[in-house]
Each structure stands twice: as C-alpha cells, then as structure tokens.
Amino acid sequence: MSMRTLPLLFLNLGGEMLYILDQRLRAQNIPGDKARKVMNDIISTMFNQKFMDELFKPQELYSKKALRTVYDRLAHASIMRLNQASMDKLYDLMTMAFKYQVLLCPRPKDVLLVTLNHLDAIKGLIQDSPTILHQVDKTFRQLTDIYGGLSAGEFQLIRQTLLIFFQDLHIRVSIFLKDKVQNSSGRFVLPVSGPVPWGTEVPGLIRTFNNKGKEVKRTEFKHGGSYVAAPKEGSLELYGDRVLKLGTNMYSVNRPVETHMSAASKNLASQTQESIVPNPLAKEELNLLARLIGGMEIQKPSGPEPGFRLNLFTTDEEEEQAALTRPEELSYEVINIQATQDQQTNQELVRIMGEFEITDQSRQSSSKGDDWLAMMDEL
C-alpha cells in the first residue's frame, strides 16, 4: 500500500463531485449568485491550506466510510443541502468515474495527469475570486513538487492502492452504459485501441537477441487492436498540455445520469456486512479523520442566507424511491468522531464543526434533509 495515495484519491474524487454539482445547479436553474456561492465555498474549503497540509502528510488510505464522511462535510460547506439518497448517488458517480479513469491510464504515472486535468477544470469553475484561484494553484505546486519526481515503481504502487480501494465497486452508470464502456454487471470494458503509453512502441513486433545482446530475429504478430504511438508526453506545467483527456468534465454536455447497483455488488455488500469484524485500527483512523476534517475551515457568512436543497435525481419522487429501494447495508452510515483524549484538540474540533452548521432559516427550507443533517451534526 502506498502512503502517497490519499491526496490523489481525494482531489480526483473532489473534482468529480464539483463537476456533478455544477451540472445539477445548472439543470435545476439555481440562481446564479447562489450557484457561484456554493461552488466557491466548496472549492475554498476543499483547497484550504491547513486542510491540504494534513492531506499531503504520508498516510494510509481511509476506509470508504471514513472518506465518505469527509465528502459529506465538504458538500455541505455552503448553503446547499443534499438528502441522503442524493448524497449516495453523488458519491457513487464520483467513485465510478475516477475508477474508470484509473483503469484507463496508459501509464501508472498518468494518474498525476488525470489529477491535473481535474485541477485545471476546477479553476474554470471558480468565479470572481483570485484568492481561491491562488489556493488551487498552490495545491497544484504541491502536487508537482511531491509527485513530479516519483519513480515509475512508486506510481505503480499508487495505482495498485487505488484499484484495491475500488475493486468491489461495480455500480452501473447510465453515461458509461450508453457509451458501451461499462457492461450490465457494472464492470468496465477496456479498449483495444488508441495511443499506447508514452515511451513504448505499438505492439506487433517481437525482437529476439542472442547472449551478446545482438538482435538476431524479428517476428511480427497480429495484436487484434488498433493502436497508435503517443503523440507526446503530458505536461506537468501550470498551464501545460496534459495530452490525456481522462479527468476532464464529462458533464459539460447536459446528460441525465442514473446509477444502479448490480446484483453482484448487492450480494457482495451483504456478505461484507455479515462478516464485519472489529478493526483494531479503527480508533486510530477516527483520530486521523478528526484531524483531517478539522482542517476544513470556512468563514461563517456575514448574514443569514436562505439555503436550498439540491436533488441529484430528475424529480423528488425518484429521489424518495431511491431512498426506499436502496438496501440498508449499502447506505453509508455516519461515523461519530470522539477526540476526548486531547481536550484542547476536541474543543478546537467542536469549534470548527460548529462553523459547518447552517442557519435556522436554511434548515426550514430543506426540511427533507433535516433528519440526516441532524445525524451529521452529531459528529
């Protein structure tokens, strides 16, 4: 397991979350000023320097539940509210999109280019805020400084760590199904065409060498694909050409997106639920999670603003039906964090958590999510 995987996982999933929220804000005709505030608030919280400093410390990946808790907080860092069914769907879309991108990376190192594509697109979502742009650019420099010099072997370990994290997730997404890159079981279909990894040759030739290292024979074979050489290597510069298109915004064209659990995923989740054993590292993970969430600092609004509820489904009825039909064992439960060992740290965490609370007015405007938000406020 790589100790350098968490920042890449978090930033790419966060980028996918912002793509989806931006699309839904536009689809639901949310007023421009509110939409701008939501996007700016979430991006500002996501790229807060204290939060980034905690994120970039070498550490193991959190569990899926723990990571989900971070995104719950992040998605509610502004006046927008999501019900549990919509939050479930949001997280499903985020994870499956990034899983697809990791699978399709020609080289393990290309996961860094995917991350930079997300950061490039996030900067395009920021409106009228040079301060937030500076935050994103600073994170960009942190990424290139830390990951730019890693070896191919280290990136391979990062890629393996990501794939282990995603290996049991087989959620069907309508966009992927329509584009025939995902089959009915929720597994992705890998292409046998396109550019080969940078620095490699198109398959089709076997070279045989003797014991002195001299080439003595060449044999051609049919590879069954349609491959081409990579035109150039993607740039790690601030405004460079990434070449790779993975990680760009696939929601830029307004398309309805649905998610469905495959039968295999449901069975696997049920078996996992039944075979849960106490994790001796759980307490340590919660301590780390508390510290990470503690870095999510946002400024309290100067005055009360009416909140609004965002629906990831086409209608409220679809959202309610999804909440009823989703198996209980597949719902992401809230993790309660207790940091009682260090009173000062606990008080600081309580203070920061308080900044995430919404005003009474916004609570009244999002009554459907009250029960779930109350659970979240127990963190």
Side-chain angles (χ1 to χ4, degrees):
M1 297 285 284
S2 172
M3 303 291 281
R4 288 290 187 188
T5 308
L6 183 60
L8 299 179
L9 177 63
F10 175 81
L11 291 171
N12 284 288
L13 288 179
E16 290 299 321
M17 181 180 77
L18 290 168
Y19 293 166
I20 298 163
L21 293 179
D22 175 66
Q23 189 271 338
R24 292 311 300 163
L25 288 167
R26 287 184 281 107
Q28 290 187 209
N29 297 317
I30 300 299
D33 56 338
K34 285 189 175 183
R36 283 193 298 272
K37 176 175 175 54
V38 168
M39 297 301 290
N40 283 356
D41 284 350
I42 293 177
I43 296 171
S44 177
T45 304
M46 179 176 171
F47 290 93
N48 177 273
Q49 191 56 50
K50 182 179 177 183
F51 181 49
M52 285 293 116
D53 289 343
E54 291 292 339
L55 186 72
F56 276 90
K57 291 178 181 178
Q59 55 193 298
E60 292 186 1
L61 283 186
Y62 296 131
S63 67
K64 294 179 179 65
K65 283 187 177 182
L67 195 63
R68 163 64 190 267
T69 300
V70 176
Y71 287 108
D72 281 333
R73 281 293 172 184
L74 188 58
H76 293 88
S78 189
I79 56 176
M80 179 192 71
R81 296 293 168 256
L82 295 170
N83 286 349
Q84 184 171 1
S86 284
M87 191 67 213
D88 283 349
K89 180 176 179 179
L90 174 62
Y91 192 70
D92 287 346
L93 289 171
M94 291 159 50
T95 52
M96 293 307 290
F98 185 45
K99 177 180 179 178
Y100 178 62
Q101 293 156 17
V102 174
L103 284 171
L104 261 64
C105 279
R107 303 175 300 169
K109 185 178 180 179
D110 288 336
V111 71
L112 179 57
L113 294 175
V114 174
T115 310
L116 299 186
N117 272 338
H118 277 110
L119 294 190
D120 292 342
I122 288 171
K123 289 194 288 186
L125 299 175
I126 300 168
Q127 300 188 38
D128 307 321
S129 182
T131 302
I132 303 177
L133 279 172
H134 177 72
Q135 287 178 255
V136 179
D137 285 343
K138 193 168 183 178
T139 299
F140 184 101
R141 287 189 288 272
Q142 280 182 282
L143 269 174
T144 52
D145 288 346
I146 294 173
Y147 293 91
L150 294 186
S151 67
E154 289 171 307
F155 274 110
Q156 174 63 10
L157 188 57
I158 288 173
R159 184 175 185 272
Q160 287 178 338
T161 305
L162 288 170
L163 292 177
I164 290 170
F165 181 84
F166 289 125
Q167 66 180 346
D168 296 329
L169 296 175
H170 306 294
I171 301 163
R172 292 172 294 176
V173 178
S174 60
I175 285 181
F176 295 141
L177 292 170
K178 290 175 184 175
D179 292 343
K180 300 186 184 303
V181 298
Q182 191 180 32
N183 59 32
S184 59
S185 69
R187 297 181 183 276
F188 288 110
V189 179
L190 300 184
V192 288
S193 62
V196 296
W198 171 257
T200 64
E201 297 180 4
V202 174
L205 179 66
I206 300 174
R207 294 183 178 90
T208 305
F209 297 83
N210 62 18
N211 57 1
K212 295 181 179 180
K214 182 179 179 181
E215 183 180 329
V216 295
K217 183 181 178 182
R218 289 192 174 195
T219 307
E220 293 185 356
F221 67 93
K222 293 184 178 180
H223 50 70
S226 178
Y227 299 103
V228 295
K232 59 181 179 178
E233 187 174 19
S235 170
L236 301 183
E237 297 298 320
L238 186 60
Y239 296 103
D241 180 8
R242 314 297 173 215
V243 180
L244 198 67
K245 299 305 179 185
L246 297 171
T248 54
N249 190 352
M250 67 177 178
Y251 306 98
S252 54
V253 178
N254 199 355
R255 303 168 69 182
V257 186
E258 299 300 332
T259 57
H260 306 279
M261 276 285 177
S262 66
S265 295
K266 291 180 181 179
N267 293 336
L268 181 59
S270 299
Q271 293 168 9
T272 303
Q273 187 73 13
E274 292 170 2
S275 61
I276 287 178
V277 295
N279 181 359
L281 299 178
K283 185 176 181 180
E284 181 63 22
E285 182 183 58
L286 292 183
N287 289 336
L288 292 171
L289 181 59
R291 191 177 71 234
L292 185 61
I293 291 182
M296 285 187 175
E297 291 182 335
I298 61 172
Q299 297 295 324
K300 283 187 176 181
S302 55
E305 290 194 51
F308 65 93
R309 184 175 63 86
L310 191 71
N311 189 350
L312 267 288
F313 296 83
T314 308
T315 64
D316 289 347
E317 290 73 18
E318 286 184 17
E319 183 183 49
E320 292 169 0
Q321 183 63 25
L324 293 173
T325 57
R326 190 176 183 89
E328 185 177 353
E329 64 268 16
L330 295 178
S331 294
Y332 299 91
E333 297 175 3
V334 176
I335 296 176
N336 293 310
I337 299 172
Q338 296 193 12
T340 53
Q341 290 183 346
D342 186 339
Q343 186 175 3
Q344 183 178 358
T345 302
N346 189 41
Q347 290 174 350
E348 176 69 6
L349 186 58
V350 170
R351 180 187 68 78
I352 294 170
M353 290 301 181
E355 294 179 355
F356 282 82
E357 292 181 358
I358 56 176
T359 62
D360 291 340
Q361 187 175 3
S362 62
R363 282 183 181 279
Q364 292 171 3
S365 65
S366 57
S367 58
K368 285 193 175 184
D370 283 348
D371 292 340
W372 180 70
L373 289 173
M375 293 173 62
M376 288 298 299
D377 288 336
E378 291 177 2
L379 282 173

